[in-house]
Short mmCIF file of all heavy atoms in Angstrom, two decimals:
data_model
loop_
_atom_site.label_atom_id
_atom_site.label_comp_id
_atom_site.label_asym_id
_atom_site.label_seq_id
_atom_site.Cartn_x
_atom_site.Cartn_y
_atom_site.Cartn_z
N GLU A 1330 18.46 -20.11 -5.93
CA GLU A 1330 17.71 -19.42 -7.06
C GLU A 1330 16.24 -19.12 -6.67
O GLU A 1330 15.68 -18.07 -6.96
CB GLU A 1330 17.83 -20.26 -8.35
CG GLU A 1330 19.23 -20.38 -8.88
CD GLU A 1330 19.92 -19.13 -9.18
OE1 GLU A 1330 19.22 -18.17 -9.64
OE2 GLU A 1330 20.99 -18.87 -8.79
N PHE A 1331 15.60 -20.09 -6.04
CA PHE A 1331 14.27 -19.91 -5.51
C PHE A 1331 14.21 -18.80 -4.54
O PHE A 1331 13.29 -17.97 -4.48
CB PHE A 1331 13.68 -21.22 -4.99
CG PHE A 1331 13.39 -22.26 -6.02
CD1 PHE A 1331 13.86 -23.51 -5.84
CD2 PHE A 1331 12.59 -21.96 -7.10
CE1 PHE A 1331 13.62 -24.48 -6.82
CE2 PHE A 1331 12.33 -22.91 -8.10
CZ PHE A 1331 12.86 -24.22 -7.94
N LEU A 1332 15.17 -18.69 -3.68
CA LEU A 1332 15.23 -17.66 -2.61
C LEU A 1332 15.38 -16.30 -3.36
O LEU A 1332 14.80 -15.31 -2.98
CB LEU A 1332 16.33 -17.83 -1.61
CG LEU A 1332 16.00 -18.92 -0.54
CD1 LEU A 1332 17.24 -19.13 0.28
CD2 LEU A 1332 14.96 -18.35 0.33
N ARG A 1333 16.25 -16.23 -4.36
CA ARG A 1333 16.45 -15.03 -5.08
C ARG A 1333 15.12 -14.49 -5.77
O ARG A 1333 14.81 -13.37 -5.75
CB ARG A 1333 17.58 -15.08 -6.11
CG ARG A 1333 18.91 -15.08 -5.47
CD ARG A 1333 20.00 -15.10 -6.51
NE ARG A 1333 21.32 -15.24 -5.92
CZ ARG A 1333 22.39 -15.65 -6.53
NH1 ARG A 1333 22.36 -16.04 -7.78
NH2 ARG A 1333 23.57 -15.75 -5.91
N ALA A 1334 14.49 -15.51 -6.39
CA ALA A 1334 13.16 -15.13 -7.03
C ALA A 1334 12.19 -14.72 -6.05
O ALA A 1334 11.41 -13.74 -6.26
CB ALA A 1334 12.71 -16.40 -7.75
N ALA A 1335 12.10 -15.34 -4.94
CA ALA A 1335 11.16 -15.00 -3.88
C ALA A 1335 11.47 -13.55 -3.36
O ALA A 1335 10.62 -12.74 -3.05
CB ALA A 1335 11.10 -15.96 -2.75
N LEU A 1336 12.72 -13.32 -3.12
CA LEU A 1336 13.25 -12.01 -2.64
C LEU A 1336 12.84 -10.94 -3.67
O LEU A 1336 12.39 -9.87 -3.27
CB LEU A 1336 14.73 -12.05 -2.40
CG LEU A 1336 15.34 -10.76 -1.71
CD1 LEU A 1336 14.74 -10.46 -0.45
CD2 LEU A 1336 16.88 -11.01 -1.65
N ALA A 1337 13.04 -11.15 -4.91
CA ALA A 1337 12.64 -10.22 -5.93
C ALA A 1337 11.10 -9.96 -5.93
O ALA A 1337 10.68 -8.81 -6.04
CB ALA A 1337 13.06 -10.70 -7.34
N GLN A 1338 10.36 -10.98 -5.76
CA GLN A 1338 8.86 -10.81 -5.68
C GLN A 1338 8.46 -10.05 -4.43
O GLN A 1338 7.58 -9.17 -4.60
CB GLN A 1338 8.14 -12.22 -5.74
CG GLN A 1338 8.22 -12.86 -7.09
CD GLN A 1338 7.54 -14.16 -7.10
OE1 GLN A 1338 7.31 -14.81 -6.01
NE2 GLN A 1338 7.20 -14.75 -8.20
N VAL A 1339 9.00 -10.35 -3.32
CA VAL A 1339 8.64 -9.58 -2.04
C VAL A 1339 9.11 -8.12 -2.24
O VAL A 1339 8.35 -7.19 -1.84
CB VAL A 1339 9.34 -10.25 -0.86
CG1 VAL A 1339 9.20 -9.37 0.32
CG2 VAL A 1339 8.64 -11.59 -0.58
N ALA A 1340 10.23 -7.87 -2.79
CA ALA A 1340 10.71 -6.50 -2.96
C ALA A 1340 9.72 -5.79 -3.92
O ALA A 1340 9.41 -4.56 -3.67
CB ALA A 1340 12.14 -6.51 -3.52
N GLU A 1341 9.29 -6.44 -4.96
CA GLU A 1341 8.34 -5.80 -5.90
C GLU A 1341 7.01 -5.52 -5.23
O GLU A 1341 6.42 -4.48 -5.41
CB GLU A 1341 8.20 -6.71 -7.15
CG GLU A 1341 7.23 -6.17 -8.17
CD GLU A 1341 7.81 -4.90 -8.87
OE1 GLU A 1341 9.03 -4.67 -8.88
OE2 GLU A 1341 7.01 -4.10 -9.37
N ALA A 1342 6.58 -6.48 -4.49
CA ALA A 1342 5.29 -6.32 -3.67
C ALA A 1342 5.39 -5.17 -2.72
O ALA A 1342 4.48 -4.33 -2.59
CB ALA A 1342 4.93 -7.63 -3.02
N ARG A 1343 6.51 -5.08 -2.07
CA ARG A 1343 6.71 -3.96 -1.06
C ARG A 1343 6.74 -2.54 -1.79
O ARG A 1343 6.10 -1.62 -1.32
CB ARG A 1343 7.98 -4.22 -0.33
CG ARG A 1343 8.18 -3.29 0.86
CD ARG A 1343 9.39 -3.73 1.68
NE ARG A 1343 9.49 -2.82 2.84
CZ ARG A 1343 10.65 -2.68 3.49
NH1 ARG A 1343 11.73 -3.30 3.14
NH2 ARG A 1343 10.77 -1.84 4.45
N LYS A 1344 7.39 -2.51 -2.93
CA LYS A 1344 7.43 -1.38 -3.69
C LYS A 1344 6.00 -0.97 -4.11
O LYS A 1344 5.66 0.26 -4.11
CB LYS A 1344 8.30 -1.48 -4.88
CG LYS A 1344 8.46 -0.32 -5.81
CD LYS A 1344 9.40 -0.62 -7.01
CE LYS A 1344 8.80 0.07 -8.21
NZ LYS A 1344 9.30 -0.49 -9.44
N ASN A 1345 5.21 -1.96 -4.60
CA ASN A 1345 3.82 -1.66 -5.01
C ASN A 1345 3.01 -1.17 -3.92
O ASN A 1345 2.09 -0.26 -4.06
CB ASN A 1345 3.22 -2.93 -5.66
CG ASN A 1345 3.71 -3.18 -7.07
OD1 ASN A 1345 4.20 -2.26 -7.72
ND2 ASN A 1345 3.64 -4.39 -7.50
N VAL A 1346 3.14 -1.71 -2.74
CA VAL A 1346 2.37 -1.28 -1.56
C VAL A 1346 2.74 0.26 -1.26
O VAL A 1346 1.87 1.04 -0.95
CB VAL A 1346 2.65 -2.22 -0.39
CG1 VAL A 1346 2.20 -1.51 0.97
CG2 VAL A 1346 2.00 -3.55 -0.52
N ARG A 1347 4.05 0.48 -1.32
CA ARG A 1347 4.39 1.86 -1.03
C ARG A 1347 3.97 2.92 -2.13
O ARG A 1347 3.56 4.05 -1.80
CB ARG A 1347 5.93 2.02 -0.99
CG ARG A 1347 6.44 1.86 0.38
CD ARG A 1347 8.03 2.22 0.45
NE ARG A 1347 8.67 0.85 0.58
CZ ARG A 1347 9.71 0.47 -0.20
NH1 ARG A 1347 10.22 1.33 -1.01
NH2 ARG A 1347 10.26 -0.61 0.00
N THR A 1348 3.98 2.43 -3.36
CA THR A 1348 3.75 3.50 -4.45
C THR A 1348 2.30 3.43 -5.04
O THR A 1348 1.79 4.43 -5.41
CB THR A 1348 4.72 3.23 -5.65
OG1 THR A 1348 4.58 1.94 -6.07
CG2 THR A 1348 6.18 3.52 -5.15
N THR A 1349 1.74 2.27 -5.22
CA THR A 1349 0.42 2.10 -6.01
C THR A 1349 -0.74 1.87 -5.13
O THR A 1349 -1.86 2.00 -5.67
CB THR A 1349 0.55 1.13 -7.11
OG1 THR A 1349 0.85 -0.16 -6.54
CG2 THR A 1349 1.64 1.46 -8.09
N LEU A 1350 -0.59 1.39 -3.90
CA LEU A 1350 -1.76 1.08 -3.12
C LEU A 1350 -2.43 2.34 -2.73
O LEU A 1350 -1.84 3.28 -2.17
CB LEU A 1350 -1.27 0.34 -1.86
CG LEU A 1350 -2.43 -0.25 -1.01
CD1 LEU A 1350 -3.28 -1.30 -1.68
CD2 LEU A 1350 -1.83 -0.78 0.33
N GLN A 1351 -3.74 2.43 -2.98
CA GLN A 1351 -4.43 3.68 -2.69
C GLN A 1351 -4.81 3.82 -1.25
O GLN A 1351 -5.35 2.77 -0.66
CB GLN A 1351 -5.78 3.77 -3.50
CG GLN A 1351 -5.52 3.94 -4.98
CD GLN A 1351 -6.85 3.97 -5.74
OE1 GLN A 1351 -7.88 3.75 -5.18
NE2 GLN A 1351 -6.79 4.25 -6.99
N VAL A 1352 -4.50 4.89 -0.62
CA VAL A 1352 -4.69 4.95 0.87
C VAL A 1352 -5.85 6.00 1.03
O VAL A 1352 -5.92 7.04 0.40
CB VAL A 1352 -3.44 5.56 1.55
CG1 VAL A 1352 -3.74 5.81 3.04
CG2 VAL A 1352 -2.30 4.62 1.33
N SER A 1353 -6.89 5.54 1.79
CA SER A 1353 -7.97 6.51 2.05
C SER A 1353 -7.66 7.41 3.15
O SER A 1353 -6.73 7.14 3.94
CB SER A 1353 -9.21 5.62 2.35
OG SER A 1353 -8.97 5.06 3.58
N GLN A 1354 -8.28 8.57 3.14
CA GLN A 1354 -8.14 9.57 4.22
C GLN A 1354 -9.07 9.25 5.33
O GLN A 1354 -10.30 9.30 5.12
CB GLN A 1354 -8.28 10.96 3.67
CG GLN A 1354 -7.39 11.33 2.55
CD GLN A 1354 -5.99 11.40 3.07
OE1 GLN A 1354 -5.74 11.71 4.15
NE2 GLN A 1354 -5.06 11.00 2.20
N PRO A 1355 -8.53 8.85 6.53
CA PRO A 1355 -9.45 8.53 7.59
C PRO A 1355 -10.18 9.75 8.10
O PRO A 1355 -9.71 10.90 8.11
CB PRO A 1355 -8.54 8.00 8.67
CG PRO A 1355 -7.19 8.62 8.40
CD PRO A 1355 -7.14 8.84 6.87
N GLY A 1356 -11.44 9.59 8.39
CA GLY A 1356 -12.24 10.69 9.00
C GLY A 1356 -12.75 11.69 7.96
O GLY A 1356 -13.44 12.64 8.35
N VAL A 1357 -12.56 11.37 6.73
CA VAL A 1357 -13.08 12.29 5.70
C VAL A 1357 -14.53 11.82 5.32
O VAL A 1357 -14.71 10.67 4.93
CB VAL A 1357 -12.26 12.24 4.38
CG1 VAL A 1357 -12.82 13.14 3.35
CG2 VAL A 1357 -10.83 12.84 4.79
N GLY A 1358 -15.45 12.69 5.48
CA GLY A 1358 -16.83 12.41 5.13
C GLY A 1358 -17.65 13.65 5.12
O GLY A 1358 -17.08 14.73 5.15
N PRO A 1359 -18.91 13.51 5.06
CA PRO A 1359 -19.78 14.74 4.94
C PRO A 1359 -19.65 15.49 6.25
O PRO A 1359 -19.58 14.82 7.42
CB PRO A 1359 -21.20 14.15 4.71
CG PRO A 1359 -21.16 12.75 5.17
CD PRO A 1359 -19.72 12.25 4.97
N PRO A 1360 -19.62 16.75 6.20
CA PRO A 1360 -19.53 17.51 7.45
C PRO A 1360 -20.73 17.34 8.28
O PRO A 1360 -21.86 17.25 7.78
CB PRO A 1360 -19.39 18.93 7.01
CG PRO A 1360 -19.95 19.05 5.63
CD PRO A 1360 -19.71 17.56 5.07
N LEU A 1361 -20.52 17.36 9.61
CA LEU A 1361 -21.64 17.18 10.56
C LEU A 1361 -22.42 18.47 10.59
O LEU A 1361 -21.76 19.64 10.53
CB LEU A 1361 -21.13 16.74 11.93
CG LEU A 1361 -20.48 15.40 11.92
CD1 LEU A 1361 -19.94 15.12 13.28
CD2 LEU A 1361 -21.50 14.30 11.51
N PRO A 1362 -23.65 18.52 10.74
CA PRO A 1362 -24.33 19.78 10.91
C PRO A 1362 -23.92 20.60 12.15
O PRO A 1362 -23.79 19.95 13.22
CB PRO A 1362 -25.83 19.44 10.97
CG PRO A 1362 -25.87 18.00 11.38
CD PRO A 1362 -24.53 17.42 10.85
N ALA A 1363 -23.73 21.83 12.07
CA ALA A 1363 -23.42 22.71 13.21
C ALA A 1363 -24.64 23.27 13.74
O ALA A 1363 -25.41 24.04 13.09
CB ALA A 1363 -22.47 23.82 12.70
N TYR A 1364 -25.01 22.85 14.95
CA TYR A 1364 -26.23 23.41 15.58
C TYR A 1364 -25.89 24.70 16.27
O TYR A 1364 -24.84 24.88 16.71
CB TYR A 1364 -26.72 22.29 16.60
CG TYR A 1364 -27.09 21.01 15.95
CD1 TYR A 1364 -26.31 19.91 16.13
CD2 TYR A 1364 -28.25 20.90 15.11
CE1 TYR A 1364 -26.63 18.72 15.51
CE2 TYR A 1364 -28.52 19.75 14.46
CZ TYR A 1364 -27.77 18.63 14.63
OH TYR A 1364 -28.04 17.46 14.05
#
């Protein structure tokens, strides 16, 4: 029963990481000046 509960919690955490965790866009920032 404890294993089933832990499995449900891990599955829920994995779902939350996939769906609700905000991912930043790498390399997005102010544009560099063009000389």
Side-chain angles (χ1 to χ4, degrees):
E1330 294 304 316
F1331 288 127
L1332 281 172
R1333 284 185 185 159
L1336 185 58
Q1338 287 180 342
V1339 168
E1341 182 67 25
R1343 191 172 181 201
K1344 181 181 141 196
N1345 284 338
V1346 165
R1347 266 189 256 136
T1348 58
T1349 61
L1350 188 65
Q1351 293 180 353
V1352 178
S1353 63
Q1354 296 298 323
V1357 174
L1361 297 175
Y1364 298 108

